[in-house]
Amino acid sequence: MSDTLSVVVVGCGAISRAWLGAVGLQEEVELSALVDIRREAAQRAAQEHDVSDALVETDLEGALRAVRPDVVFNCTVPEAHCPVTLTALQHGCHVLTEKPLSDNMADARRMVEAARREGRMLAVVQNRRYLPQVRALRDFVASGRIGRVTTVQSNFFLGPHFGGFREQMRHVLLVDMAIHTFDAARCMTGADATSVYCHEWNPAGSWYAHGASAVAIFEMTGGIVYTYQGSWCSEGLPTSWEGDWCIIGDKGAVTWDGHDALRAEVVAEQDGFMSRLDEVEVPVPHMETTGHDAVIREFIRCVRTGKRPETAASDNIKSLAMVFGAVESAERGQKVPVDA
Ligand SMILES: NC(=O)c1ccc[n+]([C@@H]2O[C@H](COP(=O)([O-])OP(=O)(O)OC[C@H]3O[C@@H](n4cnc5c(N)ncnc54)[C@H](O)[C@@H]3O)[C@@H](O)[C@H]2O)c1
């Protein structure tokens, strides 16, 4: 493998700016081609990011044959994630794809299997994992300070007026956004969901066609119960895009407001009606880089070393299964198993 990895970016819409900005900062990566079924999107991306050397193409196979890249970055819309990824894997490329891995579980499983068969890396940009406060919660829980985790709760209440496709989508909150929050719950606890009961509705006044609000109760491994409450048509007193969190263990609890405030109390002494509690610090790690840039850097490092990325599709599919488990439960009105 040469010092510089050749990369093709497929899908040059809104989110590709975050990717191309990050790629521009990385010396080990050379952008060889920009592909979009809309030529004008690929051309605009090439101009905006000053990459006039890169091939601009509408045909993915043609681009892959022409530049024979090491890596494909898949920034297309969810329904294109599977076909684009399978084509790239067949051409011997490692693939880092935008979330969600796929818009359905059957294709997600095919993608994981294809990567295994081809012996290539496939991972997902689950960028909200790569935030110092999410890392802080994960490390704090793992340190055992609050004992054994029993209960997790997250609230996500925002009122974005996106316009566009989201306002027509079915299950919009669960399918377009909740993957970040569900994946964060797995990251913080190290536990996986085994079942879910979800109630989904579209509140009066919603500017979405379907499913702007949901409450989901997940049973997780280790006996943890995780409750998610969310809405995308909640005006006033918004949470952050990360949501606010409370994690309770048998020796204490920790909260995060989704911004900078992390608080924890642990049992100091239990010999009366209520335990005496000590407030303890939750150390926040220093991170050189966060978000898309951090995921892309880790992926490139893993391609070089053969190490498995944290957001490998074979693991991330367990977060996706929480999304589609919640959708199935909401449609059937009953608790369902969560199967990756
Ligand atoms: N990680 C995050 O925080 C985050 C934020 C926003 C969007 N996203 C995800 O990024 C993805 C793209 O979202 P977006 O907002 O950029 O959408 P977008 O519609 O702005 O851009 C998608 C682009 O993909 C192109 N495209 C579609 N099918 C293609 C195909 N088969 N081959 C080549 N190009 C194709 C479209 O022409 C378009 O230019 C989605 O999966 C979305 O969920 C992630």
Side-chain angles (χ1 to χ4, degrees), residues 251 265-278:
K251 293 190 172 55
E265 285 186 340
V266 298
V267 173
E269 193 181 342
Q270 205 286 304
D271 71 348
F273 180 50
M274 299 288 271
S275 300
R276 190 169 65 74
L277 301 167
D278 279 347

Side-chain angles (χ1 to χ4, degrees), residues 9-19 35-42 44 57-60 74-81 83-84 97-101 125-128 162 165-166 175-177 179-180 292:
V9 170
V10 190
C12 302
I15 200 64
S16 71
R17 291 195 172 96
W19 290 69
V35 179
D36 198 297
I37 48 174
R38 296 182 302 122
R39 180 173 291 279
E40 68 279 12
R44 193 184 52 236
E57 253 294 355
T58 54
D59 171 37
L60 175 58
N74 185 354
C75 313
T76 59
V77 291
E79 58 269 29
H81 287 180
V84 165
T97 183
E98 255 304 344
K99 65 82 188 161
L101 176 58
V125 164
Q126 212 67 73
N127 46 311
R128 289 164 199 275
F162 292 104
F165 73 94
R166 288 185 180 84
V175 171
D176 195 56
M177 186 63 210
I179 183 80
H180 284 300
H292 276 78

Side-chain angles (χ1 to χ4, degrees), residues 92 104 115 150 162 226 267 307:
N104 66 81
T150 62
F162 292 104
Y226 164 48
V267 173
K307 216 180 132 219

